[in-house]
Amino acid sequence: MDAGPGKIVSQAVCFDQGQDVLTLLRAVAKKTETIDESQFDIPFGGLPLGPKDLPLRHSKRIRKWLDNSPDESVGVGAALFQAPNLPVAQWGRLLRQLARMRLAAHNAKFDLHMSAGGLRGCEDQPPEQGGGLDLSSSVASDTQLTQFVLDPQNSTGLKPTSVRLGLGKELGLNAGTEDAEQQALKPWKGPQTDPRFDLIPWPVIRVYAALDAALTLLLDEHQQGQLDDEAFQFELRHARREFALMKTLYSMERRGIGYNTVASLAQATKARELMEQVASQLPFKPTYPGAQKYFFGPTEDQDGKPTGNLGHLPYDDKITKPSKSHPQGQPQVDEETIERLAAEGVPHAQQFARFAELQSANSKWFQAWADMTGKDGRLRTNHKQASVVSGRLAVSRAQLQAIPQNYQIPDGLTPVRSLFTAKPGHQLWEVDVSQAEIRIATAVARCQPMLDQFNSGQDSHSAACWLMFRDEFERDGFPTVALASQKDEGHPKWHEYRQVSKRCNLGILYGAGAGTVRGEIAKFTGIDYPLKQVRQWVDDWRRAFPPFVRMLDAASRKATQDGWVRLTNGRVRWFSAYEPTHKAANQIIQGSQAETIKDCLVRVDREFPGTVLLCIHDSIVLELPASEAEAVARKVQDILIEEFERAFAKPWERGGPVVIVPFAADCKPWGEPE
DNA sequence: TCGCTATGCGCC
DNA sequence: AGGGCGCATAGCGA
């Protein structure tokens, strides 16, 4: 159960052939240590194991709280506060016992990590001496994932779900239980920014832990009863898919990815030096609000004294959205604003941009990821499987779905991608589906014009370019798309028009209007076309692909009328009451892609165990033995193509033949450009 | 000190 | 009416 941003306490319930609860496992962890540094302090009883590792702030906080609250429950806590852990050997017995059972857990992946991690400082020991044990083959079900499949519209939290289903009444569960729990635990747990579940005395948390364990068991029984019913075959199938995916993600997270902390920290140091040089020349605090004040703030204060601000007029299109604190909206200070200021020769604009990019690179990558890397030199992320509405995977902790492309790296620093390393004798490879979303859109919309282009070997953007600008190409003597795409001999405007077409493809399928498409074109080509011209192009695009237009309309109509749309594998994307439905088509595409890549991931993990490191929406990163790296990567490439083509193959008309939209995949060593 | 919001920006 | 995420920072108010 997630008990706050990245802070977790969870219980696993163990049962044996339907008998009563046998054992509780209480797992505690800190955000930064959930995975690569085990963090068990198990306050099962009052047997001392030595003092806890207590940060000063917590020590102070608890001491203060104890002094001010001399009631009985606190006395119990105070007695247990010093050293409440069980002997290490008991941890080992617990793990061995769990390994022999069938386990149900709410968010099983977390419990698996805790069990496998072992006790702090004992990671390399056998369980009897505090080491971990892999319990993944003992886990039989994950009640949170199953609930996500059974009821995607509601919270999958254990207590809200139980209350909703009327479970646990005999245990005293009611709508207020969760709040009561938060109230009771808060003084011990500390602030949300640094919660310490391991500092909560067992007598304080015991009742809640026991309740969670019992609820998990009740929920599991309830769900399994439902899934036994033939009417729930669909849900059963998808619950099994998610469960299999959970185990794959668990093994990926355990593995982590090699990261060169030494080089990363060297870059961090270099970045800080560069930042200091720049900052010393800036006449304002180098923050976004500071820059806003300097560039756009009044030049004089109320008394007519000069403020040192420049008093630049805000750009009309660069005002933040009105909010409570700023009903008029504020002058926006983003990259583009700064660029414009710099172009006007406004002093310090360029320097501030430089400072901001250096600081961002350090705090997001060079410093942050080095700090997060484990003692084994591996950097680990945490997948969230049941939180994204579209069905995509999300990752937290290290945001390894947003590893910067090389061109994003500030001048003078090393690309972050080059800091990822393979273990000895291995190589990193990435395999990705090319233009997945447009191929999916082609299948979903049954778009014959785009299909024809794919079948003749065109990529989607060249295809759109050809169809949108065909008249002009033909008039100028370029009668085929193949000729027009030749770099040297092609139509002089081919590349410009292809960019325009690409932005139309992506933008319109995402639900963008002409204004946004115009901005995108400007961003990628540097040419700011008149809105009227862009509107014309959007119309050209719509004329070239009538089935896409029909699909966009049909999807949003369905989402408006029914409140949901269906993905390619039958799963449903629900729309909440106030969610705009213009994005419905995009959600079908994005969600269907996510469902398909999940199946690929599980299959690749099964066929090539131990190799998968990351999955980034349409790509899979692998760590492969050097001797056969390319061969395996090619096989994975084939798997992606096969799975995507199969997922989207269907008859395009009633009783007609099955139409297969061709998919393509790229396969290359990690870090190599296209 | 802590929780919250606003802002900006990385990825697909 | 461009979709889906997560993270860092700043600033404000309790």
Side-chain angles (χ1 to χ4, degrees):
Chain A
M1 183 182 79
D2 203 323
K7 315 300 192 300
I8 314 166
V9 58
S10 73
Q11 291 76 30
V13 178
C14 323
F15 60 97
D16 192 4
Q17 281 114 38
Q19 291 180 21
D20 287 344
V21 175
L22 293 176
T23 311
L24 303 180
L25 165 64
R26 175 165 174 257
V28 288
K30 251 185 77 177
K31 177 187 182 187
T32 54
E33 292 158 328
T34 47
I35 295 165
D36 52 340
E37 288 173 49
S38 63
Q39 182 66 353
F40 270 110
D41 275 333
I42 306 176
F44 268 179
L47 298 174
L49 185 69
K52 281 184 178 287
D53 174 20
L54 192 61
L56 192 59
R57 58 192 305 209
H58 285 272
S59 184
K60 278 184 184 163
R61 174 178 51 77
I62 293 177
R63 188 86 37 216
K64 191 174 161 191
W65 187 68
L66 289 175
D67 290 346
N68 295 330
S69 316
D71 65 49
E72 196 182 333
S73 66
V74 173
V76 173
L80 290 169
F81 166 57
Q82 295 302 324
N85 290 335
L86 284 176
V88 167
Q90 199 149 326
W91 160 253
R93 283 200 292 280
L94 171 64
L95 281 189
R96 297 289 184 199
Q97 192 181 7
L98 292 172
R100 288 193 297 271
M101 298 174 181
R102 289 175 59 241
L103 310 176
H106 203 74
N107 187 14
K109 186 155 66 62
F110 176 79
D111 295 304
L112 289 176
H113 278 306
M114 289 299 104
S115 311
L119 304 188
R120 183 169 39 197
C122 313
E123 291 83 356
D124 302 324
Q125 304 294 325
E128 286 67 26
Q129 271 105 57
L133 199 60
D134 180 4
L135 296 178
S136 56
S137 54
S138 304
V139 175
S141 59
D142 185 322
T143 45
Q144 184 164 46
L145 292 180
T146 304
Q147 194 58 32
F148 185 64
V149 170
L150 284 170
D151 185 2
Q153 283 183 277
N154 274 308
S155 151
T156 59
L158 182 58
K159 272 177 276 287
T161 303
S162 304
V163 169
R164 215 166 45 239
L165 297 175
L167 303 172
K169 280 181 195 157
E170 67 280 18
L171 303 170
L173 179 71
N174 59 55
T177 305
E178 198 160 22
D179 287 343
E181 176 178 340
Q182 296 308 324
Q183 283 301 316
L185 302 187
K186 197 178 171 206
W188 299 99
K189 197 175 66 171
Q192 282 187 26
T193 44
D194 184 21
R196 287 292 299 268
F197 287 95
D198 58 319
L199 298 181
I200 305 170
W202 181 239
V204 176
I205 201 175
R206 156 176 258 152
V207 57
Y208 303 106
L211 178 64
D212 277 11
L215 289 178
T216 304
L217 183 55
L218 289 174
L219 180 57
D220 188 55
E221 286 172 351
H222 176 86
Q223 292 172 342
Q224 296 306 319
Q226 227 178 327
L227 293 176
D228 281 344
D229 190 324
E230 271 191 25
F232 284 84
Q233 279 186 1
F234 177 86
E235 285 80 1
L236 178 62
R237 180 160 60 88
H238 287 294
R240 285 183 173 157
R241 281 180 63 240
E242 295 294 352
F243 189 68
L245 177 63
M246 182 273 291
K247 292 201 177 178
T248 292
L249 296 174
Y250 162 66
S251 72
M252 289 161 59
E253 291 172 5
R254 276 294 285 170
R255 205 168 295 132
I257 179 165
Y259 189 70
N260 187 342
T261 51
V262 175
S264 190
L265 288 173
Q267 291 302 302
T269 304
K270 192 171 172 188
R272 265 192 294 273
E273 287 166 7
L274 294 169
M275 280 160 66
E276 275 168 34
Q277 286 172 22
V278 181
S280 64
Q281 296 165 13
L282 290 177
F284 58 92
K285 200 175 168 189
T287 64
Y288 284 104
Q292 184 201 60
K293 207 167 144 195
Y294 175 70
F295 291 124
F296 300 108
T299 53
E300 292 179 352
D301 65 13
Q302 290 159 348
D303 308 329
K305 286 188 214 149
T307 56
N309 298 330
L310 298 182
H312 198 286
L313 282 179
Y315 300 107
D316 291 347
D317 58 335
K318 287 288 176 184
I319 304 285
T320 61
K321 266 198 309 194
S323 65
K324 267 185 204 164
S325 49
H326 299 287
Q328 306 297 319
Q330 293 264 96
Q332 198 178 359
V333 183
D334 60 7
E335 201 177 73
E336 206 188 307
T337 302
I338 299 169
E339 245 174 56
R340 287 188 208 171
L341 291 171
E344 289 185 37
V346 173
H348 301 115
Q350 203 61 63
Q351 289 89 332
F352 174 68
R354 174 73 173 159
F355 182 89
E357 70 168 1
L358 287 167
Q359 188 184 47
S360 165
N362 246 12
S363 57
K364 278 201 293 210
W365 312 315
F366 295 116
Q367 185 67 47
W369 288 354
D371 290 345
M372 271 183 232
T373 300
K375 284 182 220 118
D376 60 354
R378 311 283 286 188
L379 178 56
R380 291 172 170 87
T381 189
N382 177 43
H383 291 82
K384 293 202 280 185
Q385 194 177 345
S387 72
V388 181
V389 286
S390 67
R392 272 185 167 185
L393 292 173
V395 302
S396 56
R397 192 169 184 267
Q399 226 304 40
L400 298 187
Q401 283 182 337
I403 300 171
Q405 301 288 355
N406 293 355
Y407 72 86
Q408 297 283 0
I409 304 300
D411 283 347
L413 297 179
T414 302
V416 174
R417 282 180 184 244
S418 70
L419 300 175
F420 288 88
T421 58
K423 59 189 176 187
H426 288 66
Q427 294 172 355
L428 299 180
W429 280 70
E430 57 179 323
V431 187
D432 66 285
V433 186
S434 317
Q435 302 180 340
E437 294 195 341
I438 295 186
R439 291 171 198 271
I440 291 168
T442 303
V444 172
R446 301 174 166 91
C447 185
Q448 194 67 46
M450 189 60 99
L451 179 67
D452 291 342
Q453 295 290 319
F454 280 137
N455 281 332
S456 69
Q458 288 302 317
D459 76 72
S460 61
H461 307 320
S462 298
C465 184
W466 174 246
L467 292 177
M468 287 169 65
F469 296 94
R470 183 178 202 148
D471 292 348
E472 186 173 334
F473 291 145
E474 289 184 343
R475 191 191 63 214
D476 295 342
F478 294 88
T480 69
V481 64
L483 185 64
S485 62
Q486 298 267 329
K487 265 189 185 163
D488 299 327
E489 304 159 25
H491 191 280
K493 289 206 147 183
W494 170 259
H495 290 289
E496 182 186 327
Y497 285 166
R498 187 176 178 279
Q499 267 300 335
V500 169
S501 312
K502 182 174 179 177
R503 294 302 136 198
C504 286
N505 268 348
L506 297 172
I508 299 170
L509 286 175
Y510 284 158
T516 307
V517 173
R518 177 193 180 196
E520 285 289 292
I521 295 172
K523 189 167 148 195
F524 283 87
T525 67
I527 309 173
D528 191 15
Y529 296 97
L531 188 59
K532 205 177 158 192
Q533 168 71 84
V534 179
R535 281 217 186 92
Q536 180 68 46
W537 283 332
V538 171
D539 285 344
D540 291 344
W541 185 92
R542 293 170 70 93
R543 260 196 299 280
F545 304 108
F548 282 155
V549 177
R550 284 198 291 274
M551 188 258 296
L552 288 163
D553 293 344
S556 64
R557 216 166 36 240
K558 174 152 182 61
T560 306
Q561 279 170 15
D562 302 339
W564 56 273
V565 291
R566 198 176 285 285
L567 311 184
T568 182
N569 64 359
R571 292 187 76 170
V572 165
R573 198 310 200 176
W574 288 92
F575 279 70
S576 62
Y578 301 101
E579 213 173 352
T581 54
H582 74 269
K583 59 189 180 182
N586 168 266
Q587 289 297 284
I588 297 176
I589 296 165
Q590 192 184 101
S592 298
Q593 179 190 18
E595 290 296 309
T596 311
I597 198 82
K598 286 179 189 172
D599 289 334
C600 294
L601 193 60
V602 172
R603 183 175 160 194
V604 172
D605 184 45
R606 194 178 63 231
E607 295 188 20
F608 304 101
T611 66
V612 185
L613 301 185
L614 298 173
C615 175
I616 309 161
H617 308 309
D618 64 355
S619 79
I620 291 179
V621 178
L622 303 152
E623 184 172 48
L624 302 169
S627 57
E628 51 173 19
E630 178 159 7
V632 174
R634 295 270 171 224
K635 285 180 189 163
V636 172
Q637 188 181 11
D638 292 341
I639 288 175
L640 294 198
I641 293 171
E642 186 186 314
E643 290 289 327
F644 271 83
E645 288 190 347
R646 193 166 57 82
F648 295 95
K650 62 179 180 185
W652 279 20
E653 48 195 79
R654 203 176 288 277
V658 170
V659 176
I660 298 175
V661 173
F663 276 78
D666 284 332
C667 148
K668 54 182 183 292
W670 170 264
E672 269 187 22
E674 291 275 328

